[in-house]
Amino acid sequence: VACVPEPAGGTAGEAFYASLAKAGLGYGPAFQVVETLEGGEGEALARLVLPEEAGPDLPWRFHPALLDGCLHAIAGAAALGEANPWVPVEFVHLRVLGRPPAALRCRVRMPAGECDRRRAEISIADLAGNAVAELVAVVERIEGDRCAEEDRWFLALDWEPVVGWRLFVHGVARHEPDAHDASAGSGLLEAYAE
């Protein structure tokens, strides 16, 4: 795992996430873990801190919000504020050397590659500089108009009126069980339209 120096300044987390939002990548408070980002021209350094909104520090091997934050730093290795952002589409390699703490730093290297597909190499360390993990991902550039259209395919609301419902208890469908029926206390609820 390569040495991961502390970012010497750069962009503050709030400004970084505002630039991602302008590019169409909005993240809620639980996933806004990049505290500082310094980068450009194929390399970025980031300091990440797990926010309270990410929930309790359960015995994760690698907290999902922190892992995702390392991937956010890819934007800094490209060009911060770029209209068409780079996003991971494949993990080639992930090696976790120890349980990452709630504050990390990472270095992203994104060597030149194809026009819209590259490899991102991410070294991750604790704040003392001790190696914690390494990740190699394949990233692709999202085309602005295509991204917005694809988002609409998956995120559009399409409400249908519910005509009835069934509760499955122990694999048996029960139509509209009586609220006083103790055997209908738990199970799978299915709504259906005609």
Side-chain angles (χ1 to χ4, degrees), residues 132-166:
V132 171
E134 64 182 22
L135 167 65
V136 176
V138 174
V139 295
E140 289 186 0
R141 184 188 311 265
I142 295 179
E143 297 300 325
D145 293 338
R146 189 187 79 198
C147 173
E149 178 61 28
E150 288 173 356
D151 282 348
R152 284 191 291 274
W153 293 345
F154 294 109
L155 302 176
L157 291 176
D158 187 16
W159 294 95
E160 293 183 21
V162 173
V163 176
W165 58 277
R166 284 179 268 213

PDB file of all heavy atoms in Angstrom, residues 132-166:
ATOM      1  N   VAL A 132      -4.370   0.867   5.912  1.00  0.00           N
ATOM      2  CA  VAL A 132      -5.575   0.198   6.382  1.00  0.00           C
ATOM      3  C   VAL A 132      -6.189  -0.649   5.269  1.00  0.00           C
ATOM      4  O   VAL A 132      -6.677  -1.746   5.518  1.00  0.00           O
ATOM      5  CB  VAL A 132      -6.598   1.252   6.879  1.00  0.00           C
ATOM      6  CG1 VAL A 132      -7.930   0.620   7.168  1.00  0.00           C
ATOM      7  CG2 VAL A 132      -6.070   1.960   8.099  1.00  0.00           C
ATOM      8  N   ALA A 133      -6.152  -0.155   4.033  1.00  0.00           N
ATOM      9  CA  ALA A 133      -6.762  -0.892   2.925  1.00  0.00           C
ATOM     10  C   ALA A 133      -6.251  -0.362   1.601  1.00  0.00           C
ATOM     11  O   ALA A 133      -5.672   0.726   1.526  1.00  0.00           O
ATOM     12  CB  ALA A 133      -8.287  -0.766   2.980  1.00  0.00           C
ATOM     13  N   GLU A 134      -6.479  -1.135   0.572  1.00  0.00           N
ATOM     14  CA  GLU A 134      -6.224  -0.679  -0.798  1.00  0.00           C
ATOM     15  C   GLU A 134      -7.373  -1.164  -1.671  1.00  0.00           C
ATOM     16  O   GLU A 134      -7.959  -2.222  -1.430  1.00  0.00           O
ATOM     17  CB  GLU A 134      -4.875  -1.175  -1.312  1.00  0.00           C
ATOM     18  CG  GLU A 134      -4.753  -2.659  -1.439  1.00  0.00           C
ATOM     19  CD  GLU A 134      -3.370  -3.100  -1.907  1.00  0.00           C
ATOM     20  OE1 GLU A 134      -2.399  -2.351  -1.742  1.00  0.00           O
ATOM     21  OE2 GLU A 134      -3.293  -4.217  -2.435  1.00  0.00           O
ATOM     22  N   LEU A 135      -7.697  -0.353  -2.644  1.00  0.00           N
ATOM     23  CA  LEU A 135      -8.839  -0.632  -3.508  1.00  0.00           C
ATOM     24  C   LEU A 135      -8.478  -0.239  -4.926  1.00  0.00           C
ATOM     25  O   LEU A 135      -7.880   0.812  -5.155  1.00  0.00           O
ATOM     26  CB  LEU A 135     -10.042   0.192  -3.018  1.00  0.00           C
ATOM     27  CG  LEU A 135     -11.270   0.312  -3.908  1.00  0.00           C
ATOM     28  CD1 LEU A 135     -11.938  -1.040  -4.100  1.00  0.00           C
ATOM     29  CD2 LEU A 135     -12.258   1.288  -3.319  1.00  0.00           C
ATOM     30  N   VAL A 136      -8.822  -1.095  -5.859  1.00  0.00           N
ATOM     31  CA  VAL A 136      -8.681  -0.774  -7.278  1.00  0.00           C
ATOM     32  C   VAL A 136     -10.067  -0.927  -7.881  1.00  0.00           C
ATOM     33  O   VAL A 136     -10.721  -1.956  -7.705  1.00  0.00           O
ATOM     34  CB  VAL A 136      -7.673  -1.705  -7.985  1.00  0.00           C
ATOM     35  CG1 VAL A 136      -7.624  -1.396  -9.477  1.00  0.00           C
ATOM     36  CG2 VAL A 136      -6.296  -1.578  -7.367  1.00  0.00           C
ATOM     37  N   ALA A 137     -10.513   0.120  -8.552  1.00  0.00           N
ATOM     38  CA  ALA A 137     -11.847   0.114  -9.156  1.00  0.00           C
ATOM     39  C   ALA A 137     -11.751   0.581 -10.599  1.00  0.00           C
ATOM     40  O   ALA A 137     -10.844   1.315 -10.967  1.00  0.00           O
ATOM     41  CB  ALA A 137     -12.787   1.038  -8.380  1.00  0.00           C
ATOM     42  N   VAL A 138     -12.694   0.144 -11.394  1.00  0.00           N
ATOM     43  CA  VAL A 138     -12.834   0.653 -12.757  1.00  0.00           C
ATOM     44  C   VAL A 138     -13.892   1.737 -12.687  1.00  0.00           C
ATOM     45  O   VAL A 138     -14.956   1.551 -12.082  1.00  0.00           O
ATOM     46  CB  VAL A 138     -13.248  -0.465 -13.738  1.00  0.00           C
ATOM     47  CG1 VAL A 138     -13.528   0.107 -15.116  1.00  0.00           C
ATOM     48  CG2 VAL A 138     -12.167  -1.536 -13.807  1.00  0.00           C
ATOM     49  N   VAL A 139     -13.582   2.890 -13.277  1.00  0.00           N
ATOM     50  CA  VAL A 139     -14.515   4.011 -13.252  1.00  0.00           C
ATOM     51  C   VAL A 139     -14.865   4.416 -14.680  1.00  0.00           C
ATOM     52  O   VAL A 139     -14.082   4.224 -15.604  1.00  0.00           O
ATOM     53  CB  VAL A 139     -13.927   5.221 -12.483  1.00  0.00           C
ATOM     54  CG1 VAL A 139     -13.730   4.873 -11.024  1.00  0.00           C
ATOM     55  CG2 VAL A 139     -12.625   5.698 -13.087  1.00  0.00           C
ATOM     56  N   GLU A 140     -16.060   4.930 -14.840  1.00  0.00           N
ATOM     57  CA  GLU A 140     -16.512   5.419 -16.139  1.00  0.00           C
ATOM     58  C   GLU A 140     -17.072   6.813 -15.976  1.00  0.00           C
ATOM     59  O   GLU A 140     -17.629   7.157 -14.940  1.00  0.00           O
ATOM     60  CB  GLU A 140     -17.582   4.499 -16.729  1.00  0.00           C
ATOM     61  CG  GLU A 140     -17.037   3.172 -17.180  1.00  0.00           C
ATOM     62  CD  GLU A 140     -18.078   2.323 -17.904  1.00  0.00           C
ATOM     63  OE1 GLU A 140     -19.232   2.758 -18.068  1.00  0.00           O
ATOM     64  OE2 GLU A 140     -17.703   1.214 -18.296  1.00  0.00           O
ATOM     65  N   ARG A 141     -16.935   7.592 -17.035  1.00  0.00           N
ATOM     66  CA  ARG A 141     -17.496   8.943 -17.038  1.00  0.00           C
ATOM     67  C   ARG A 141     -18.970   8.840 -17.408  1.00  0.00           C
ATOM     68  O   ARG A 141     -19.346   8.156 -18.338  1.00  0.00           O
ATOM     69  CB  ARG A 141     -16.772   9.807 -18.067  1.00  0.00           C
ATOM     70  CG  ARG A 141     -17.226  11.252 -18.060  1.00  0.00           C
ATOM     71  CD  ARG A 141     -16.647  12.043 -19.217  1.00  0.00           C
ATOM     72  NE  ARG A 141     -15.231  11.913 -19.406  1.00  0.00           N
ATOM     73  CZ  ARG A 141     -14.309  12.743 -18.923  1.00  0.00           C
ATOM     74  NH1 ARG A 141     -14.682  13.768 -18.192  1.00  0.00           N
ATOM     75  NH2 ARG A 141     -13.047  12.575 -19.163  1.00  0.00           N
ATOM     76  N   ILE A 142     -19.785   9.536 -16.644  1.00  0.00           N
ATOM     77  CA  ILE A 142     -21.216   9.572 -16.934  1.00  0.00           C
ATOM     78  C   ILE A 142     -21.481  10.739 -17.868  1.00  0.00           C
ATOM     79  O   ILE A 142     -21.080  11.861 -17.585  1.00  0.00           O
ATOM     80  CB  ILE A 142     -22.042   9.759 -15.647  1.00  0.00           C
ATOM     81  CG1 ILE A 142     -21.869   8.538 -14.752  1.00  0.00           C
ATOM     82  CG2 ILE A 142     -23.501   9.976 -15.967  1.00  0.00           C
ATOM     83  CD1 ILE A 142     -22.623   8.657 -13.461  1.00  0.00           C
ATOM     84  N   GLU A 143     -22.153  10.464 -18.944  1.00  0.00           N
ATOM     85  CA  GLU A 143     -22.553  11.542 -19.851  1.00  0.00           C
ATOM     86  C   GLU A 143     -23.712  12.274 -19.216  1.00  0.00           C
ATOM     87  O   GLU A 143     -24.659  11.652 -18.757  1.00  0.00           O
ATOM     88  CB  GLU A 143     -22.958  10.973 -21.214  1.00  0.00           C
ATOM     89  CG  GLU A 143     -21.829  10.262 -21.924  1.00  0.00           C
ATOM     90  CD  GLU A 143     -20.640  11.166 -22.206  1.00  0.00           C
ATOM     91  OE1 GLU A 143     -20.842  12.364 -22.483  1.00  0.00           O
ATOM     92  OE2 GLU A 143     -19.502  10.681 -22.113  1.00  0.00           O
ATOM     93  N   GLY A 144     -23.656  13.580 -19.174  1.00  0.00           N
ATOM     94  CA  GLY A 144     -24.643  14.392 -18.473  1.00  0.00           C
ATOM     95  C   GLY A 144     -26.087  14.092 -18.817  1.00  0.00           C
ATOM     96  O   GLY A 144     -26.878  13.772 -17.956  1.00  0.00           O
ATOM     97  N   ASP A 145     -26.459  14.148 -20.084  1.00  0.00           N
ATOM     98  CA  ASP A 145     -27.851  13.925 -20.463  1.00  0.00           C
ATOM     99  C   ASP A 145     -28.257  12.480 -20.225  1.00  0.00           C
ATOM    100  O   ASP A 145     -29.344  12.195 -19.775  1.00  0.00           O
ATOM    101  CB  ASP A 145     -28.082  14.294 -21.937  1.00  0.00           C
ATOM    102  CG  ASP A 145     -27.920  15.782 -22.174  1.00  0.00           C
ATOM    103  OD1 ASP A 145     -28.054  16.552 -21.199  1.00  0.00           O
ATOM    104  OD2 ASP A 145     -27.641  16.172 -23.315  1.00  0.00           O
ATOM    105  N   ARG A 146     -27.363  11.540 -20.547  1.00  0.00           N
ATOM    106  CA  ARG A 146     -27.675  10.136 -20.361  1.00  0.00           C
ATOM    107  C   ARG A 146     -27.881   9.826 -18.891  1.00  0.00           C
ATOM    108  O   ARG A 146     -28.779   9.112 -18.508  1.00  0.00           O
ATOM    109  CB  ARG A 146     -26.543   9.265 -20.932  1.00  0.00           C
ATOM    110  CG  ARG A 146     -26.932   7.792 -20.960  1.00  0.00           C
ATOM    111  CD  ARG A 146     -25.763   6.932 -21.367  1.00  0.00           C
ATOM    112  NE  ARG A 146     -24.915   6.799 -20.193  1.00  0.00           N
ATOM    113  CZ  ARG A 146     -23.655   6.423 -20.241  1.00  0.00           C
ATOM    114  NH1 ARG A 146     -23.082   6.195 -21.381  1.00  0.00           N
ATOM    115  NH2 ARG A 146     -22.948   6.301 -19.142  1.00  0.00           N
ATOM    116  N   CYS A 147     -27.041  10.407 -18.039  1.00  0.00           N
ATOM    117  CA  CYS A 147     -27.148  10.182 -16.598  1.00  0.00           C
ATOM    118  C   CYS A 147     -28.519  10.614 -16.099  1.00  0.00           C
ATOM    119  O   CYS A 147     -29.188   9.885 -15.395  1.00  0.00           O
ATOM    120  CB  CYS A 147     -26.061  10.955 -15.862  1.00  0.00           C
ATOM    121  SG  CYS A 147     -26.210  10.907 -14.075  1.00  0.00           S
ATOM    122  N   ALA A 148     -28.922  11.791 -16.473  1.00  0.00           N
ATOM    123  CA  ALA A 148     -30.210  12.301 -16.013  1.00  0.00           C
ATOM    124  C   ALA A 148     -31.353  11.418 -16.503  1.00  0.00           C
ATOM    125  O   ALA A 148     -32.285  11.123 -15.763  1.00  0.00           O
ATOM    126  CB  ALA A 148     -30.401  13.732 -16.491  1.00  0.00           C
ATOM    127  N   GLU A 149     -31.298  10.957 -17.745  1.00  0.00           N
ATOM    128  CA  GLU A 149     -32.345  10.103 -18.299  1.00  0.00           C
ATOM    129  C   GLU A 149     -32.385   8.762 -17.571  1.00  0.00           C
ATOM    130  O   GLU A 149     -33.441   8.283 -17.194  1.00  0.00           O
ATOM    131  CB  GLU A 149     -32.123   9.892 -19.800  1.00  0.00           C
ATOM    132  CG  GLU A 149     -33.148   8.980 -20.453  1.00  0.00           C
ATOM    133  CD  GLU A 149     -34.583   9.488 -20.364  1.00  0.00           C
ATOM    134  OE1 GLU A 149     -34.779  10.710 -20.291  1.00  0.00           O
ATOM    135  OE2 GLU A 149     -35.503   8.657 -20.371  1.00  0.00           O
ATOM    136  N   GLU A 150     -31.228   8.136 -17.354  1.00  0.00           N
ATOM    137  CA  GLU A 150     -31.188   6.851 -16.660  1.00  0.00           C
ATOM    138  C   GLU A 150     -31.676   6.978 -15.226  1.00  0.00           C
ATOM    139  O   GLU A 150     -32.342   6.090 -14.716  1.00  0.00           O
ATOM    140  CB  GLU A 150     -29.780   6.263 -16.698  1.00  0.00           C
ATOM    141  CG  GLU A 150     -29.415   5.769 -18.085  1.00  0.00           C
ATOM    142  CD  GLU A 150     -27.965   5.332 -18.187  1.00  0.00           C
ATOM    143  OE1 GLU A 150     -27.209   5.482 -17.205  1.00  0.00           O
ATOM    144  OE2 GLU A 150     -27.590   4.857 -19.265  1.00  0.00           O
ATOM    145  N   ASP A 151     -31.341   8.086 -14.562  1.00  0.00           N
ATOM    146  CA  ASP A 151     -31.842   8.294 -13.211  1.00  0.00           C
ATOM    147  C   ASP A 151     -33.365   8.320 -13.204  1.00  0.00           C
ATOM    148  O   ASP A 151     -33.996   7.780 -12.308  1.00  0.00           O
ATOM    149  CB  ASP A 151     -31.314   9.601 -12.622  1.00  0.00           C
ATOM    150  CG  ASP A 151     -29.887   9.467 -12.135  1.00  0.00           C
ATOM    151  OD1 ASP A 151     -29.381   8.329 -12.043  1.00  0.00           O
ATOM    152  OD2 ASP A 151     -29.270  10.509 -11.848  1.00  0.00           O
ATOM    153  N   ARG A 152     -33.942   8.941 -14.207  1.00  0.00           N
ATOM    154  CA  ARG A 152     -35.398   9.009 -14.266  1.00  0.00           C
ATOM    155  C   ARG A 152     -36.011   7.623 -14.451  1.00  0.00           C
ATOM    156  O   ARG A 152     -37.093   7.354 -13.960  1.00  0.00           O
ATOM    157  CB  ARG A 152     -35.839   9.964 -15.374  1.00  0.00           C
ATOM    158  CG  ARG A 152     -35.668  11.421 -14.990  1.00  0.00           C
ATOM    159  CD  ARG A 152     -36.352  12.350 -15.962  1.00  0.00           C
ATOM    160  NE  ARG A 152     -35.706  12.369 -17.261  1.00  0.00           N
ATOM    161  CZ  ARG A 152     -34.673  13.135 -17.587  1.00  0.00           C
ATOM    162  NH1 ARG A 152     -34.156  13.942 -16.688  1.00  0.00           N
ATOM    163  NH2 ARG A 152     -34.152  13.104 -18.783  1.00  0.00           N
ATOM    164  N   TRP A 153     -35.311   6.707 -15.153  1.00  0.00           N
ATOM    165  CA  TRP A 153     -35.840   5.351 -15.321  1.00  0.00           C
ATOM    166  C   TRP A 153     -35.990   4.666 -13.976  1.00  0.00           C
ATOM    167  O   TRP A 153     -36.961   3.983 -13.716  1.00  0.00           O
ATOM    168  CB  TRP A 153     -34.905   4.494 -16.152  1.00  0.00           C
ATOM    169  CG  TRP A 153     -34.744   4.880 -17.577  1.00  0.00           C
ATOM    170  CD1 TRP A 153     -35.526   5.722 -18.312  1.00  0.00           C
ATOM    171  CD2 TRP A 153     -33.716   4.429 -18.446  1.00  0.00           C
ATOM    172  NE1 TRP A 153     -35.032   5.819 -19.577  1.00  0.00           N
ATOM    173  CE2 TRP A 153     -33.922   5.035 -19.696  1.00  0.00           C
ATOM    174  CE3 TRP A 153     -32.631   3.577 -18.298  1.00  0.00           C
ATOM    175  CZ2 TRP A 153     -33.103   4.806 -20.770  1.00  0.00           C
ATOM    176  CZ3 TRP A 153     -31.815   3.345 -19.375  1.00  0.00           C
ATOM    177  CH2 TRP A 153     -32.049   3.951 -20.598  1.00  0.00           C
ATOM    178  N   PHE A 154     -34.999   4.831 -13.099  1.00  0.00           N
ATOM    179  CA  PHE A 154     -34.988   4.099 -11.850  1.00  0.00           C
ATOM    180  C   PHE A 154     -35.644   4.843 -10.696  1.00  0.00           C
ATOM    181  O   PHE A 154     -36.070   4.227  -9.739  1.00  0.00           O
ATOM    182  CB  PHE A 154     -33.547   3.763 -11.454  1.00  0.00           C
ATOM    183  CG  PHE A 154     -32.892   2.814 -12.409  1.00  0.00           C
ATOM    184  CD1 PHE A 154     -31.889   3.248 -13.246  1.00  0.00           C
ATOM    185  CD2 PHE A 154     -33.293   1.491 -12.490  1.00  0.00           C
ATOM    186  CE1 PHE A 154     -31.281   2.375 -14.129  1.00  0.00           C
ATOM    187  CE2 PHE A 154     -32.701   0.616 -13.368  1.00  0.00           C
ATOM    188  CZ  PHE A 154     -31.692   1.054 -14.198  1.00  0.00           C
ATOM    189  N   LEU A 155     -35.718   6.160 -10.788  1.00  0.00           N
ATOM    190  CA  LEU A 155     -36.167   6.930  -9.652  1.00  0.00           C
ATOM    191  C   LEU A 155     -37.526   7.592  -9.826  1.00  0.00           C
ATOM    192  O   LEU A 155     -37.971   8.300  -8.954  1.00  0.00           O
ATOM    193  CB  LEU A 155     -35.115   8.004  -9.313  1.00  0.00           C
ATOM    194  CG  LEU A 155     -33.727   7.461  -8.996  1.00  0.00           C
ATOM    195  CD1 LEU A 155     -32.751   8.607  -8.784  1.00  0.00           C
ATOM    196  CD2 LEU A 155     -33.758   6.567  -7.778  1.00  0.00           C
ATOM    197  N   ALA A 156     -38.179   7.366 -10.952  1.00  0.00           N
ATOM    198  CA  ALA A 156     -39.473   8.008 -11.189  1.00  0.00           C
ATOM    199  C   ALA A 156     -40.550   7.376 -10.312  1.00  0.00           C
ATOM    200  O   ALA A 156     -40.571   6.172 -10.087  1.00  0.00           O
ATOM    201  CB  ALA A 156     -39.859   7.874 -12.660  1.00  0.00           C
ATOM    202  N   LEU A 157     -41.447   8.204  -9.804  1.00  0.00           N
ATOM    203  CA  LEU A 157     -42.580   7.702  -9.040  1.00  0.00           C
ATOM    204  C   LEU A 157     -43.664   7.250 -10.007  1.00  0.00           C
ATOM    205  O   LEU A 157     -43.976   7.944 -10.975  1.00  0.00           O
ATOM    206  CB  LEU A 157     -43.138   8.795  -8.130  1.00  0.00           C
ATOM    207  CG  LEU A 157     -42.261   9.209  -6.961  1.00  0.00           C
ATOM    208  CD1 LEU A 157     -42.920  10.362  -6.212  1.00  0.00           C
ATOM    209  CD2 LEU A 157     -42.027   8.043  -6.028  1.00  0.00           C
ATOM    210  N   ASP A 158     -44.212   6.100  -9.743  1.00  0.00           N
ATOM    211  CA  ASP A 158     -45.285   5.576 -10.581  1.00  0.00           C
ATOM    212  C   ASP A 158     -46.299   4.924  -9.653  1.00  0.00           C
ATOM    213  O   ASP A 158     -46.187   3.755  -9.312  1.00  0.00           O
ATOM    214  CB  ASP A 158     -44.724   4.558 -11.584  1.00  0.00           C
ATOM    215  CG  ASP A 158     -45.779   4.119 -12.587  1.00  0.00           C
ATOM    216  OD1 ASP A 158     -46.826   4.795 -12.700  1.00  0.00           O
ATOM    217  OD2 ASP A 158     -45.564   3.091 -13.248  1.00  0.00           O
ATOM    218  N   TRP A 159     -47.256   5.719  -9.179  1.00  0.00           N
ATOM    219  CA  TRP A 159     -48.226   5.241  -8.208  1.00  0.00           C
ATOM    220  C   TRP A 159     -49.363   4.509  -8.903  1.00  0.00           C
ATOM    221  O   TRP A 159     -49.836   4.926  -9.940  1.00  0.00           O
ATOM    222  CB  TRP A 159     -48.809   6.413  -7.420  1.00  0.00           C
ATOM    223  CG  TRP A 159     -47.790   7.089  -6.567  1.00  0.00           C
ATOM    224  CD1 TRP A 159     -47.062   8.193  -6.877  1.00  0.00           C
ATOM    225  CD2 TRP A 159     -47.362   6.689  -5.267  1.00  0.00           C
ATOM    226  NE1 TRP A 159     -46.212   8.524  -5.862  1.00  0.00           N
ATOM    227  CE2 TRP A 159     -46.379   7.615  -4.850  1.00  0.00           C
ATOM    228  CE3 TRP A 159     -47.714   5.655  -4.416  1.00  0.00           C
ATOM    229  CZ2 TRP A 159     -45.752   7.520  -3.618  1.00  0.00           C
ATOM    230  CZ3 TRP A 159     -47.085   5.579  -3.188  1.00  0.00           C
ATOM    231  CH2 TRP A 159     -46.125   6.494  -2.801  1.00  0.00           C
ATOM    232  N   GLU A 160     -49.769   3.418  -8.297  1.00  0.00           N
ATOM    233  CA  GLU A 160     -50.939   2.691  -8.761  1.00  0.00           C
ATOM    234  C   GLU A 160     -51.872   2.529  -7.565  1.00  0.00           C
ATOM    235  O   GLU A 160     -51.408   2.238  -6.472  1.00  0.00           O
ATOM    236  CB  GLU A 160     -50.548   1.300  -9.274  1.00  0.00           C
ATOM    237  CG  GLU A 160     -49.705   1.334 -10.523  1.00  0.00           C
ATOM    238  CD  GLU A 160     -49.403  -0.079 -11.033  1.00  0.00           C
ATOM    239  OE1 GLU A 160     -50.150  -1.015 -10.683  1.00  0.00           O
ATOM    240  OE2 GLU A 160     -48.425  -0.215 -11.758  1.00  0.00           O
ATOM    241  N   PRO A 161     -53.172   2.705  -7.796  1.00  0.00           N
ATOM    242  CA  PRO A 161     -54.095   2.531  -6.668  1.00  0.00           C
ATOM    243  C   PRO A 161     -54.113   1.072  -6.208  1.00  0.00           C
ATOM    244  O   PRO A 161     -54.060   0.159  -7.020  1.00  0.00           O
ATOM    245  CB  PRO A 161     -55.445   2.946  -7.237  1.00  0.00           C
ATOM    246  CG  PRO A 161     -55.297   2.886  -8.710  1.00  0.00           C
ATOM    247  CD  PRO A 161     -53.853   3.066  -9.024  1.00  0.00           C
ATOM    248  N   VAL A 162     -54.149   0.864  -4.898  1.00  0.00           N
ATOM    249  CA  VAL A 162     -54.204  -0.486  -4.342  1.00  0.00           C
ATOM    250  C   VAL A 162     -55.671  -0.865  -4.200  1.00  0.00           C
ATOM    251  O   VAL A 162     -56.456  -0.158  -3.588  1.00  0.00           O
ATOM    252  CB  VAL A 162     -53.481  -0.538  -2.980  1.00  0.00           C
ATOM    253  CG1 VAL A 162     -53.691  -1.883  -2.316  1.00  0.00           C
ATOM    254  CG2 VAL A 162     -52.016  -0.234  -3.166  1.00  0.00           C
ATOM    255  N   VAL A 163     -56.003  -2.001  -4.790  1.00  0.00           N
ATOM    256  CA  VAL A 163     -57.386  -2.476  -4.750  1.00  0.00           C
ATOM    257  C   VAL A 163     -57.609  -3.340  -3.526  1.00  0.00           C
ATOM    258  O   VAL A 163     -58.659  -3.321  -2.906  1.00  0.00           O
ATOM    259  CB  VAL A 163     -57.722  -3.256  -6.040  1.00  0.00           C
ATOM    260  CG1 VAL A 163     -59.122  -3.833  -5.971  1.00  0.00           C
ATOM    261  CG2 VAL A 163     -57.562  -2.353  -7.240  1.00  0.00           C
ATOM    262  N   GLY A 164     -56.633  -4.114  -3.152  1.00  0.00           N
ATOM    263  CA  GLY A 164     -56.773  -4.996  -2.003  1.00  0.00           C
ATOM    264  C   GLY A 164     -55.409  -5.338  -1.454  1.00  0.00           C
ATOM    265  O   GLY A 164     -54.399  -4.852  -1.936  1.00  0.00           O
ATOM    266  N   TRP A 165     -55.407  -6.186  -0.446  1.00  0.00           N
ATOM    267  CA  TRP A 165     -54.131  -6.595   0.112  1.00  0.00           C
ATOM    268  C   TRP A 165     -54.274  -7.977   0.714  1.00  0.00           C
ATOM    269  O   TRP A 165     -55.370  -8.444   0.989  1.00  0.00           O
ATOM    270  CB  TRP A 165     -53.614  -5.587   1.127  1.00  0.00           C
ATOM    271  CG  TRP A 165     -54.535  -5.319   2.282  1.00  0.00           C
ATOM    272  CD1 TRP A 165     -55.580  -4.464   2.302  1.00  0.00           C
ATOM    273  CD2 TRP A 165     -54.490  -5.930   3.561  1.00  0.00           C
ATOM    274  NE1 TRP A 165     -56.200  -4.475   3.500  1.00  0.00           N
ATOM    275  CE2 TRP A 165     -55.540  -5.380   4.317  1.00  0.00           C
ATOM    276  CE3 TRP A 165     -53.689  -6.872   4.163  1.00  0.00           C
ATOM    277  CZ2 TRP A 165     -55.798  -5.761   5.628  1.00  0.00           C
ATOM    278  CZ3 TRP A 165     -53.928  -7.231   5.457  1.00  0.00           C
ATOM    279  CH2 TRP A 165     -54.977  -6.680   6.185  1.00  0.00           C
ATOM    280  N   ARG A 166     -53.140  -8.641   0.859  1.00  0.00           N
ATOM    281  CA  ARG A 166     -53.104  -9.977   1.447  1.00  0.00           C
ATOM    282  C   ARG A 166     -51.989 -10.021   2.470  1.00  0.00           C
ATOM    283  O   ARG A 166     -50.958  -9.390   2.288  1.00  0.00           O
ATOM    284  CB  ARG A 166     -52.773 -11.032   0.397  1.00  0.00           C
ATOM    285  CG  ARG A 166     -53.907 -11.380  -0.522  1.00  0.00           C
ATOM    286  CD  ARG A 166     -53.398 -12.396  -1.480  1.00  0.00           C
ATOM    287  NE  ARG A 166     -52.934 -11.613  -2.605  1.00  0.00           N
ATOM    288  CZ  ARG A 166     -52.983 -11.994  -3.869  1.00  0.00           C
ATOM    289  NH1 ARG A 166     -53.382 -13.169  -4.193  1.00  0.00           N
ATOM    290  NH2 ARG A 166     -52.591 -11.217  -4.830  1.00  0.00           N
TER     291      ARG A 166
END
